[in-house]
Amino acid sequence: MQKKFVPVMITPYNLKAKIDFGVVENLIDFYLAAGVKGFFANCLSSEMYSISEDERLELTRHVVNYVNGRVPIVATGSFGLTIEDKAEFVKKIADTGIDSVILITGHFAHVDEPDDILWERFHQLFTLTGDIPLGLYECPAPYKRIISPEILKRLLDTNRLNYHKDTSCNVDSVRQKLAIAAGSKLEFYDAHTPNAVASLQMGAAGMSSISGNFYPEILVWLCQHANDPDRQEDVAWIQAELQRVDPLIHIAYPMSAKYFLQLRGLPVRTISRAHVLELTPEQKEVLNNIYQDFRRWCKRLNIREVATEAAAYH
């Protein structure tokens, strides 16, 4: 089975901090040229907690319409105060034409509530949403609720899940979940770049990490070659390189990604609703150095960098 890289899309803004749909299209073209095999729209990287309900729907619908069936699209849909509210939004975002509605695990139980409560609320939402395909996302906000293997098994038995984005950052946890999901229709994506090779070699469908908003070509290459016996030296080398820089790109994210995409020639402004501070000169220098690292990685691995127009906003 071909391994797939699915980026968690960022949201570009214009000078009035409104969604810049033209640049959304630039980003989609960029991702597709890099070889991605899907999109996760309306996610934490999209600043989903900083945009309105109407904006979430409009953004997702725009992505669906512009992609026009070229690759699958998923988007977060578990917004609302009550389970009934969440079910209504699930239906609304499903109507945009996405392939699966993603549920934030931390939306279904408080941090101190047991898994029985989590299961009960998931079951209630499943009942209220017909046969809409669903997925899970162990989003870090409002808090990171890691799904236990037992809950995953119960959810899989409903035959409603086809997607899981894992943020456990734990190889043993990933191994257990992959064993449970084996033979099901669930596609398992690891969000933790330092886990990439281990997850891909254990049977994950692909990766869905923030690093794809910096250098998607590298993650696409890794998904393609993680199990290639002739490239294991290069695989180990690039995994070590990605692990080295991964903590650095998380600083001031998603602003860091927007600045990096500027370096790559994309017309993405360093405007964010989620991160209001400007990048410091030191943070920019770190990202400048990683950009040079990225070009070096491409040269060693014989990867063609996606060509973009000259940067205009930095």
Side-chain angles (χ1 to χ4, degrees):
M1 182 182 294
Q2 184 184 39
K3 305 295 184 180
K4 297 179 279 189
F5 183 72
V6 177
V8 281
M9 299 183 70
I10 64 166
T11 298
Y13 298 106
N14 63 22
L15 291 173
K16 295 183 178 180
K18 300 291 186 182
I19 297 173
D20 191 327
F21 290 100
V23 181
V24 170
E25 295 176 6
N26 294 152
L27 281 169
I28 290 170
D29 291 339
F30 169 71
Y31 290 127
L32 289 172
V36 308
K37 300 300 181 184
F39 289 105
F40 193 156
N42 190 43
C43 57
L44 192 59
S45 290
S46 313
E47 306 180 41
M48 64 183 180
Y49 290 118
S50 302
I51 60 178
S52 69
E53 178 173 313
D54 287 344
E55 286 175 318
R56 293 166 185 157
L57 293 170
E58 186 179 12
L59 176 60
T60 302
R61 188 176 296 110
H62 193 90
V63 172
V64 169
N65 290 341
Y66 190 75
V67 171
N68 194 28
R70 286 176 283 180
V71 295
I73 300 165
V74 302
T76 306
S78 55
F79 293 98
L81 293 176
T82 67
I83 296 298
E84 290 77 13
D85 292 337
K86 296 182 197 303
E88 285 305 306
F89 192 76
V90 164
K91 294 172 187 176
K92 287 180 181 178
I93 204 161
D95 286 343
T96 65
I98 57 176
D99 295 270
S100 185
V101 178
I102 304 302
L103 310 178
I104 302 298
T105 54
H107 284 175
F108 289 86
H110 297 303
V111 66
D112 57 350
E113 289 183 318
D115 275 355
D116 285 346
I117 297 294
L118 182 71
W119 160 254
E120 181 180 316
R121 291 178 184 149
F122 271 133
H123 181 69
Q124 186 180 353
L125 182 124
F126 284 23
T127 302
L128 293 171
T129 52
D131 59 356
I132 294 171
L134 301 172
L136 303 175
Y137 174 18
E138 296 169 338
C139 184
Y143 77 99
K144 186 188 288 193
R145 181 87 182 207
I146 300 299
I147 292 291
S148 69
E150 293 75 21
I151 290 294
L152 181 60
K153 174 67 167 64
R154 293 179 73 179
L155 292 171
L156 282 175
D157 286 344
T158 68
N159 201 36
R160 290 288 297 282
L161 293 185
N162 63 8
Y163 199 99
H164 175 73
K165 182 179 175 187
D166 196 271
T167 68
S168 67
C169 305
N170 183 287
V171 172
D172 288 336
S173 175
V174 169
R175 182 181 292 108
Q176 291 179 56
K177 291 177 187 174
L178 283 170
I180 288 167
S184 75
K185 64 183 179 182
L186 185 79
E187 293 191 358
F188 185 104
Y189 294 87
D190 202 324
H192 189 49
T193 300
N195 276 7
V197 173
S199 292
L200 293 167
Q201 292 181 346
M202 288 190 296
M207 290 295 298
S208 187
S209 54
I210 74 163
S211 48
N213 289 319
F214 296 77
Y215 24 77
E217 302 98 322
I218 301 297
L219 277 298
V220 167
W221 185 94
L222 194 54
C223 286
Q224 292 172 341
H225 294 285
N227 291 302
D228 183 348
D230 296 329
R231 302 301 297 271
Q232 288 307 296
E233 182 179 343
D234 284 334
V235 165
W237 173 78
I238 192 60
Q239 175 71 93
E241 287 290 289
L242 292 171
Q243 186 166 346
R244 174 178 62 82
V245 303
D246 200 60
L248 302 174
I249 65 172
H250 278 75
I251 297 170
Y253 183 81
M255 193 77 88
S256 57
K258 294 182 178 187
Y259 176 79
F260 199 92
L261 290 170
Q262 285 185 356
L263 295 177
R264 300 212 48 193
L266 283 147
V268 179
R269 294 178 174 87
T270 48
I271 298 173
S272 169
R273 297 188 195 172
H275 186 88
V276 297
L277 300 177
E278 284 285 340
L279 294 176
T280 67
E282 293 77 14
Q283 289 169 335
K284 290 181 179 180
E285 184 61 23
V286 167
L287 294 168
N288 291 342
N289 290 336
I290 295 174
Y291 175 63
Q292 295 305 321
D293 288 337
F294 158 69
R295 304 198 75 182
R296 178 171 54 85
W297 300 341
C298 288
K299 186 173 182 179
R300 167 161 172 171
L301 299 175
N302 196 28
I303 293 171
R304 183 185 64 83
E305 297 176 42
V306 175
T308 56
E309 295 180 3
Y313 295 101
H314 76 286

